[in-house]
């Protein structure tokens, strides 16, 4: 049975559509210009042109296989790990082409953190998980690391739950705690952007709610780009939404407008459950 658009968005205090200008104020921090990603001869992302505003939460939605995760991983060059992958067009971070020759990918991944679909803590202590990135980047003072670990765990809303368990193996934490630990690990290197690839899809409803609350708390401090299949989640957490279908960008705009007054029939069909 197809859903009404109001069923998708009823759980969120939606912003009025006339706030679009405020949401898009200033130059985008990430900008795609006719950007495509190929796996061999297969075009997974097809000529996407899109601007992502700084300090906001942008959701990328669409059915499985539409190129959402491929586009997300392109932003911190994770697709470089796939030998057959190549790109065309431009993908820029604050005006710098992310695929220009000689770009320091290590520095890029410090600026652009990533949280994956399934929690992936290292088989180390809670403390060492969060301290891993700062150590890689040259921080070795125990006091400095302790401050970074505590601050990151507080930002990830996990400190009160683990402050007496910092020496415990991170794998002893619950699934929801492990995912928040991975978010703390991403925040520990002070990124500008946090990419989240279905960060709650493997979690129970209570843990999912904690992750969504955390995204709300991080809004404004970081630019967050979240891939999600869950349209209710996109409506709850995001300021902007981009809809991809078969690798194409069908529509992008303020979440309130896109979910209540989509401009494209494909968008309306998808968010009301007629396909996908």
């Amino acid at each position: 049975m197809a859903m009404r658009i109001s069923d998708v968005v009823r759980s969120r205090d939606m912003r009025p559509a006339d706030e679009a200008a405020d949401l898009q104020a200033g130059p985008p921090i990430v900008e795609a210009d006719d950007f495509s990603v190929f796996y061999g001869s297969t075009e997974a992302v097809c000529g996407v042109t899109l601007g992502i505003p700084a300090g906001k939460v942008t959701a990328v939605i669409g059915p499985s296989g539409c190129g959402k995760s491929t586009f997300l991983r392109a932003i911190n060059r994770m697709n470089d790990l796939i030998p057959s992958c190549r790109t065309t067009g431009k993908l820029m971070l604050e005006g710098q082409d992310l695929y220009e020759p000689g770009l320091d990918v290590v520095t890029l991944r410090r600026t652009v953190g990533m949280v994956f679909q399934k929690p992936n803590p290292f088989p180390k202590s809670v403390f060492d998980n969060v301290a891993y990135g700062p150590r890689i980047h040259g921080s070795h003072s125990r006091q400095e690391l302790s401050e970074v670990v505590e601050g990151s765990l507080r930002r990830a809303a996990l400190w009160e739950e683990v402050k007496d368990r910092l020496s415990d193996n991170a794998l002893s934490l619950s699934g929801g705690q492990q995912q928040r630990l991975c978010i703390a690990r991403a925040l520990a290197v002070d990124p500008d952007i946090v990419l989240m690839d279905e960060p709650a899809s493997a979690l129970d409803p209570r843990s999912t709610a904690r992750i969504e609350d955390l995204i709300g708390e991080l809004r404004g401090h970081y630019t967050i780009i979240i891939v999600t299949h869950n349209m209710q989640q996109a409506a709850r957490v995001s300021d902007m939404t981009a809809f991809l279908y078969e690798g194409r960008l069908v529509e992008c705009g303020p979440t309130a407008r896109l979910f209540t007054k989509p401009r494209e029939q494909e968008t309306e069909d998808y968010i009301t459950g007629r396909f996908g």
Side-chain angles (χ1 to χ4, degrees):
M1 180 183 296
M3 294 182 291
R4 299 186 304 272
I5 293 177
S6 59
D7 293 329
V8 177
V9 303
R10 67 177 183 267
S11 61
R12 183 180 182 219
D13 179 17
M14 301 296 289
R15 297 178 176 86
D18 60 8
E19 289 187 11
D22 290 339
L23 290 175
Q24 295 178 330
I29 188 170
V30 176
E31 189 170 12
D33 182 8
D34 194 23
F35 181 71
S36 297
V37 181
F38 295 82
Y39 297 123
S41 60
T42 301
E43 190 174 13
V45 174
C46 309
V48 166
T49 296
L50 171 66
I52 294 175
K56 306 295 182 180
V57 180
T58 297
V60 183
I61 63 171
S64 296
C66 71
K68 302 185 303 296
S69 292
T70 295
F71 178 74
L72 193 77
R73 291 167 182 251
I75 298 172
N76 72 342
R77 299 274 299 267
M78 288 293 292
N79 295 326
D80 288 11
L81 303 174
I82 303 172
S84 64
C85 186
R86 63 185 177 86
T87 67
T88 61
K90 286 189 176 182
L91 185 61
M92 294 167 282
L93 173 61
E94 296 184 304
Q96 180 178 19
D97 187 348
L98 295 178
Y99 285 82
E100 68 180 15
L103 182 93
D104 187 341
V105 177
V106 173
T107 300
L108 171 64
R109 291 176 185 159
R110 180 174 182 173
T111 302
V112 184
M114 186 152 191
V115 178
F116 295 91
Q117 182 173 3
K118 293 183 179 180
N120 62 339
F122 302 137
K124 300 173 178 285
S125 70
V126 170
F127 183 97
D128 286 340
N129 263 269
V130 183
Y132 181 83
R135 282 177 172 145
I136 290 293
H137 292 287
S139 296
H140 299 291
S141 161
R142 181 71 182 189
Q143 180 177 349
E144 181 181 352
L145 289 173
S146 294
E147 291 173 355
V148 170
V149 168
E150 179 176 345
S152 300
L153 289 170
R154 285 189 183 279
R155 288 196 296 274
L158 189 58
W159 174 252
E160 293 300 326
E161 297 171 43
V162 302
K163 62 183 179 182
D164 298 320
R165 302 176 60 186
L166 296 179
S167 61
D168 290 1
N169 193 305
L171 300 178
S172 68
L173 301 178
S174 70
Q177 288 174 326
Q178 287 185 20
Q179 191 65 308
R180 281 182 284 147
L181 178 66
C182 292
I183 292 172
R185 189 175 66 195
L187 299 181
V189 295
D190 197 26
D192 295 325
I193 299 170
V194 180
L195 309 177
M196 296 186 173
D197 191 358
E198 294 276 3
S201 64
L203 304 180
D204 60 81
R206 184 177 179 182
S207 296
T208 295
R210 297 291 296 274
I211 295 294
E212 290 182 5
D213 288 344
L214 175 57
I215 291 170
E217 293 167 9
L218 297 175
R219 174 187 280 109
H221 300 283
Y222 305 91
T223 299
I224 298 174
I225 308 171
I226 177 173
V227 160
T228 179
H229 283 92
N230 186 323
M231 286 176 288
Q232 288 88 350
Q233 182 175 81
R236 286 191 295 265
V237 306
S238 69
D239 301 297
M240 303 288 291
T241 298
F243 169 47
L244 295 184
Y245 182 59
E246 295 183 345
R248 298 178 294 109
L249 176 67
V250 176
E251 186 169 353
C252 180
T255 297
R257 197 273 303 155
L258 188 140
F259 276 94
T260 56
K261 295 181 179 179
R263 292 171 179 159
E264 302 296 332
Q265 187 62 47
E266 280 179 307
T267 308
E268 181 170 344
D269 289 346
Y270 179 69
I271 65 178
T272 54
R274 294 191 180 97
F275 73 93

